[in-house]
Amino acid sequence: FSLLLLDLEEYYFEQHTAYHVSSDSRKEKKIRGSFKVCSRSIIFDPDGLTEPIIKIPLRDCQKIEFVEKENNPFNDPKPPVITVSCKQVIFIKESNVIAPHRNERGSKNLTFELDVWSKTEDVVQTLLQLHRASCLDKLGDQTAMIAANLQSRLARSSFDKNCFQGVAEKSHMECPVEMVMPLVSNPGHVCITNENLYFQPLNGHPLHVIQIKLNEVRRIYKRRRGLRPLGLEVFCSENNLCSDIYLTFYNPAERDEIYYYIATFLENHIKEQTAESYMLQWQRGHVSNYEYLLHLNNLADRSFNDLSQYPVFPWVLADYTSTQLDLTNAATFRDLSKPIGALNQERLDRLLARYRGMPEPRFIYGSHYSSPGYVLFYLVRVAPEHMLCLQNGRYDHADRMFNSVSETWKNCLQGATDFKELIPEFYGNDSSFLENRLNLDLGRKQNGTLVSDVLLPPWASDASDFLKKHKMALESQYVSEHLHEWIDLVFGFKQRGSEAVEAHNVFHPLTYEGGIDCDSIEDTDQRIAMLTQILEFGQTPKQLFIGPHPQRITPGVQNVTRSSSINSAVGELSPVSLCEDSSFEDLTEESRKLAWANMGNLKRISSHKIHKEAVTGIAVTPDGASIFSTSQDSTLKMFSKELKEFQRSISFSNMALSSCLMLADGKTVVCSSWDNNVYFYSIPYGRRQDTLMGHDDAVSEISWFDDRLYTASWDSTVKVWHCSSNNQSSHKRSRFELLAELEHDAGVNTVSLNAAGTLLVSGCKDGTVTVWDTSSYLTLQQVHCHDGTIHQSAFSPDSRHVLSVGDDSCMKVIDVQTGMVISSVKAEEEQ
């Protein structure tokens, strides 16, 4: 049994152990199984795999009766019986084979013995109520009656708190929801606690409860579902585009409350990037064309769980007939500046003639480039039950199936109503959707040919080779230079309005976000019909860009060999190669010359050895007269610039001092120590003024802004302190209040603030740079960019970039907005 055996928009309510009783002239036969009550049908699922699943549409039922058998001579009650008289029975998965459903029409009488005893009358009452709903003339009335039954069931039940994983778990909230899967949804209750997100299906299918740990959640998205803001998709991985659960709520406020509650558990997670930040990464070659399109689909509300909004990818090739694929020839590729419907000028002229004579609202294309039917057209070999669900238990006619890549492309160019694009699977690694591995009987074409594996272009040796070369085409120089034109059509400024008209990119108004408000339609039948059309016809993605999308910068693919051999270009097409030797690509040539030329012109004025071991920090008084330095020899020393000798030596402990800084008043020096403490030294009084015992391990570096002290430690934390005192240079002790504790995965070796004090950067021993917002203490970026310890990190004056150096002898420049490593310079020794 699968939910895909239900009709579209049908619900599975409950099940009961039962026997299907059939009899012939010789004997009575009982088949044990599960009697399932659904909103539009009765389904009997036998325990044995050889017996077919029986489905009885309620609209075809003529009579449903409850017969309570009398006790036998031993006073044992006999099981109650439900008899169903109907005009049609549907047999599914006969002999456990996925195939078109077999319908038997004519008067049928079926008998079921239920093992529910006292509840049997309730089951019959439910069936009679649902039967009455299915017999109503108006679709709106049917839907309303079924919805009332569902809401009544949800109201009578609640989440079973015995399913909590721990006795200390506390429930935050629970509410009724539906779990969304391709073509079907399953009603139940969601419950969120201080540790887990739970979903409990009303019918217990396929599991009694689904659990997701909140500390494992990495990304969450609000989704449109049926053009309403009711969806919530949860991911427990950074890169996987298939979510762990997709829920749709009955109330937007409940959806939002759970969204923001889960968001509080994502403090250590990298902030989700915008379309613009992904665009910058893609432009520079840090993200492949394939990855960029997946990100755009995700941000545009496209989900693998929603076939009406499935991710859409472009046809990029126009050559499916040659024996060799030449990726250096522009004629090999499809024109990405035009929608599919405008590639054939003769067909476009016919469509435009119809468009000009059409009343408002006008549209050029009567069908969409992405819809559930088109997605399953491609995926029928791996998702046959989805196709059977969509098409009422039948496959499409064999000649209309996905039989050949070349023929499909040809039909998209010439067909009067075929404007479909591709799906991500065409550029992935799993070729099973091109092969009939399940040995499905997909029928015979008119010429007698059996439909089996998809016929591939001559330039592909097998399905895996096809995907490999197809993906290479997507990442090729031509597509990299022109992909922005297709993005303008599907996700950008040519998606709607006058620009869409000029680009011949106008679809039916119902496909666009905001095209119609279904809730405002008072007639229930009309509203449901409109919503069904929206879900089945296809939906245009959410618009992500309102201006022209910039072209990709492709310096790394300019050296691609012009040979027709595909393999010779593989190494050149890797997006990683674009940034191997990027140097300071953000700097102008003039500034680059100034920066590095002047480094060699610096001249040493004087040198003074005043410490026995390595110097770890330098601080200069505002007037420049005195220099304070800390060292691994555990001393803080004061050096007079005028006298050229050190005048003071202070020791706070017998452990190394790691850094020092001068406060703005010029009267206090703050030092950090490997003994876990921070020391405040008063210059006028010549003694230690305060000690802050702040960490469980060595304090590696400190930073100060206004009245806040930031301390980094090898205990994997950065702590933020508020320091209050009547006078920093007085003899009165300061008061320290801990404001925040920023957790890291490894010991923190360096910390630095930008000039405005609004951003903080920390560098760890594991090579990770983290950028923090000092107003909210939230992570803005987290980038693993060094192999080993980071020695120092600092912001550029405009706060747009972070520079870091480490024991891998590399200097890295990171873009603060996007988190990209935009420059990497390798030195001969550590810096």
Side-chain angles (χ1 to χ4, degrees), residues 228-287:
R228 297 185 65 198
L230 297 173
L232 181 70
E233 199 161 14
V234 180
F235 295 79
C236 290
S237 63
E238 294 288 352
N239 300 315
N240 189 5
L241 268 292
C242 293
S243 64
D244 293 82
I245 196 167
Y246 186 148
L247 300 174
T248 181
F249 291 71
Y250 298 105
N251 185 319
E254 291 174 338
R255 189 276 304 264
D256 292 346
E257 182 174 350
I258 286 188
Y259 171 87
Y260 289 114
Y261 184 78
I262 296 176
T264 62
F265 288 81
L266 306 183
E267 293 178 0
N268 294 327
H269 167 58
I270 300 173
K271 185 179 180 182
E272 183 57 38
Q273 299 188 47
T274 62
E276 287 75 15
S277 65
Y278 281 124
M279 178 188 72
L280 287 171
Q281 294 184 57
W282 171 77
Q283 262 193 293
R284 296 181 179 277
H286 296 292
V287 171

Side-chain angles (χ1 to χ4, degrees), residues 752-761 771-774 780 795 799 816:
S752 180
L753 290 157
N754 69 339
T758 55
L759 299 174
L760 177 82
V761 60
V771 181
W772 305 83
D773 182 340
T774 59
L780 299 180
F795 284 95
S799 301
V816 171

Side-chain angles (χ1 to χ4, degrees), residues 25-42:
S25 58
R26 291 170 293 175
K27 62 176 182 177
E28 186 177 77
K29 181 181 178 183
K30 286 187 177 183
I31 301 170
R32 191 177 189 277
S34 172
F35 183 86
K36 301 180 187 296
V37 178
C38 307
S39 58
R40 299 183 188 275
S41 63
I42 302 166

Side-chain angles (χ1 to χ4, degrees), residues 718-768:
V718 171
K719 291 186 177 180
V720 187
W721 308 85
H722 176 257
C723 180
S724 59
S725 170
N726 292 333
N727 185 350
Q728 274 294 347
S729 61
S730 72
H731 65 280
K732 294 183 179 179
R733 296 179 67 84
S734 301
R735 292 188 300 276
F736 300 100
E737 176 191 359
L738 181 63
L739 298 179
E741 189 169 343
L742 313 180
E743 296 284 349
H744 296 69
D745 293 330
V748 187
N749 206 48
T750 175
V751 68
S752 180
L753 290 157
N754 69 339
T758 55
L759 299 174
L760 177 82
V761 60
S762 54
C764 293
K765 289 185 174 184
D766 65 356
T768 301

Side-chain angles (χ1 to χ4, degrees), residues 123 212 694:
V123 174
I212 294 175

